[in-house]
Amino acid sequence: MSKALPIAVAILLGGAALAPVYYASKTPATSQSLTTVAVKEGQNSEILNKLSYANGYQMASQIPAEVNVNALVAGLLDAKSEKPSKYSEAEIKSATVLLNKELYAKGMDELRTNLASIPAEQKAEAEQALAAYDANTKFLKENAKKEGVITTDSGLQYKITKQGTGKQPTAESTVLAHYKGTLIDGTVFDSSLESGKPVEFPLNQVVAGWTEGFQHLKEGAKATLYIPAYLGYGEQNQGPIPGFSTLIFDVELVQVK
């Protein structure tokens, strides 16, 4: 399982990374020459303040409305002062997952609302996407009612079929595990059982559903993970896995390294 692209992080970083480039493209000679003069003569107070402000002003147009600008600035100041991050990596990953969940549902609602105005050549694809989304959403809603199935805040569902007694991994652990992956229609798309050998992988380099799911298990445990698309591969086709697919994994946690 490859690592899923965190949607929220891509949104946040995309605008911020482009802002200085955008500003330089608008005023290339002025931006470069004034900065050089300021550095050479040591008169960086007024000149660099203006250029810094201009970069920030341009950056604002690239930042999504949902972003808390005050918190963004606080993060920049802490990083520039080389202070430790206010939030742990685990907290940031958790927040990213929850935002992805919200944006994913919002995006599908907007697609449904605007379906009538979509050009004819794209409408069939949009209808197919909505049908796949609805089918997988319905499956998870019904599955959540089944005995033994636990649903987390992120929307991940899991059912432990055999309790483990050994070590319990963290998000940074490397684990050895067996797994079989299926779609909601029962199609098997991947399995370690064919080789008969468990697979080793770092939990911070797999899809978010695996990162979270394995942390609920102890060595020796067997479980089924039901991973919503936004914790897996999202709307993108991934080999035999269609877009919007819920990933169902029967797993066995063999060892935490």
Side-chain angles (χ1 to χ4, degrees):
M1 299 297 294
S2 63
K3 189 174 183 179
L5 174 66
I7 302 170
V9 172
I11 291 173
L12 293 178
L13 294 186
L18 288 174
V21 176
Y22 173 81
Y23 178 72
S25 69
K26 293 295 181 181
T27 55
T30 304
S31 176
Q32 185 175 13
S33 60
L34 286 181
T35 302
T36 302
V37 170
V39 171
K40 283 183 177 179
E41 298 182 2
Q43 299 172 347
N44 58 8
S45 176
E46 182 178 356
I47 295 174
L48 286 185
N49 281 347
K50 289 179 180 179
L51 293 176
S52 298
Y53 176 87
N55 271 279
Y57 198 90
Q58 293 291 348
M59 185 185 297
S61 65
Q62 305 287 328
I63 298 174
E66 296 84 359
V67 173
N68 183 328
V69 177
N70 290 331
L72 177 65
V73 171
L76 288 170
L77 292 173
D78 284 352
K80 285 292 290 182
S81 301
E82 298 184 349
K83 294 181 180 179
S85 173
K86 185 177 180 180
Y87 304 106
S88 68
E89 185 176 348
E91 288 178 302
I92 294 170
K93 285 182 178 179
S94 176
T96 300
V97 166
L98 292 175
L99 181 58
N100 283 346
K101 176 183 178 182
E102 181 180 330
L103 293 177
Y104 184 78
K106 182 179 179 181
M108 297 311 295
D109 287 344
E110 289 179 353
L111 177 62
R112 196 185 309 277
T113 300
N114 299 321
L115 187 61
S117 61
I118 292 177
E121 61 271 18
Q122 299 175 1
K123 197 166 186 177
E125 184 179 354
E127 290 174 339
Q128 184 179 9
L130 284 170
Y133 171 77
D134 289 343
N136 282 274
T137 300
K138 180 181 179 181
F139 170 84
L140 288 168
K141 185 176 181 180
E142 294 176 350
N143 191 63
K145 301 174 184 177
K146 294 181 179 179
E147 185 178 356
V149 174
I150 298 172
T151 303
T152 70
D153 290 342
S154 72
L156 172 75
Q157 297 177 2
Y158 69 96
K159 179 179 180 179
I160 297 177
T161 54
K162 177 187 175 184
Q163 292 288 351
T165 57
K167 292 191 296 184
Q168 191 164 352
T170 68
E172 285 71 42
S173 296
T174 293
V175 302
L176 197 64
H178 270 302
Y179 68 89
K180 182 179 76 171
T182 60
L183 304 176
I184 62 174
D185 64 2
T187 300
V188 178
F189 59 81
D190 197 7
S191 177
S192 68
L193 301 178
E194 295 180 0
S195 66
K197 297 179 180 179
V199 177
E200 180 178 317
F201 50 90
L203 287 181
N204 61 1
Q205 294 184 23
V206 291
V207 294
W210 267 26
T211 303
E212 180 184 353
F214 274 94
Q215 291 181 77
H216 294 288
L217 310 179
K218 294 181 179 180
E219 286 178 333
K222 292 184 178 181
T224 303
L225 308 179
Y226 306 90
I227 302 175
Y230 59 85
L231 297 178
Y233 293 116
E235 64 188 46
Q236 301 300 320
N237 295 333
Q238 185 73 20
I241 304 172
F244 304 98
S245 290
T246 298
L247 310 177
I248 305 172
F249 284 101
D250 293 315
V251 302
E252 178 185 1
L253 179 55
V254 178
Q255 182 182 5
V256 179
K257 295 195 167 184

